[in-house]
Amino acid sequence: MPKIGRKSLALVFSAVAIAGALVIPSPAYACGTSVTYGSWTHIPDTLTWQRKWTWNYFNCSSGTVHRKVVVNNGSDSPCYTIAPRGTRTYSKYESNTAGYRINQYESTASC
C-alpha cells in the first residue's frame, strides 16, 4: 500500500471540501420557486394600493424544465425554458382596489 503524507492528505481533503461547496447552491438560490414582495404603496387620490412582486426560479436538476407563473386576475407569464443550474425572474405589480386584487401571484406551473 502506498504511503500518503499528511500534506498530501490535507490537500485531498481541501479539494473535496471546495468541490462540495461549489455543488451546493447558496441560500439566495434555493431550488425551485421563491417569491418576494415589496411593500404596499398608496396611489394618491384613489382607493388603490400597489406592490411589486418578483418570482425567481432556480433549476437544481440536471435536465431542462419548462415553467410559467400563474397570475390571479391578470395575464400569466410566458412559458420559460430553464436550463440546468439556470435561473429565471419575472416581476409584476399587484394592485388592491377596495379589496379587489389584480395581478396577484397564484402559483408556478409546468408548461
Side-chain angles (χ1 to χ4, degrees):
M1 181 168 178
K3 192 172 188 179
I4 298 175
R6 286 185 181 190
K7 287 184 180 180
S8 297
L9 194 56
L11 184 63
V12 168
F13 282 122
S14 296
V16 169
I18 290 170
L22 294 176
V23 172
I24 300 170
S26 68
Y29 290 101
C31 297
T33 303
S34 68
V35 179
T36 56
Y37 295 91
S39 55
W40 287 101
T41 57
H42 183 254
I43 298 174
D45 300 323
T46 69
L47 296 175
T48 301
W49 289 78
Q50 195 173 52
R51 70 177 171 178
K52 183 177 182 178
W53 56 266
T54 303
W55 171 86
N56 297 294
Y57 190 89
F58 181 60
N59 181 8
C60 291
S61 71
S62 59
T64 300
V65 297
H66 303 280
R67 299 289 185 268
K68 73 175 184 174
V69 180
V70 179
V71 179
N72 188 10
N73 297 321
S75 56
D76 295 348
S77 76
C79 185
Y80 294 116
T81 299
I82 307 167
R85 312 289 299 159
T87 60
R88 191 63 165 171
T89 300
Y90 178 78
S91 293
K92 226 170 185 164
Y93 281 92
E94 175 183 356
S95 295
N96 184 344
T97 304
Y100 179 74
R101 290 188 175 178
I102 59 170
N103 294 330
Q104 183 179 21
Y105 170 80
E106 187 171 305
S107 64
T108 299
S110 296
C111 51

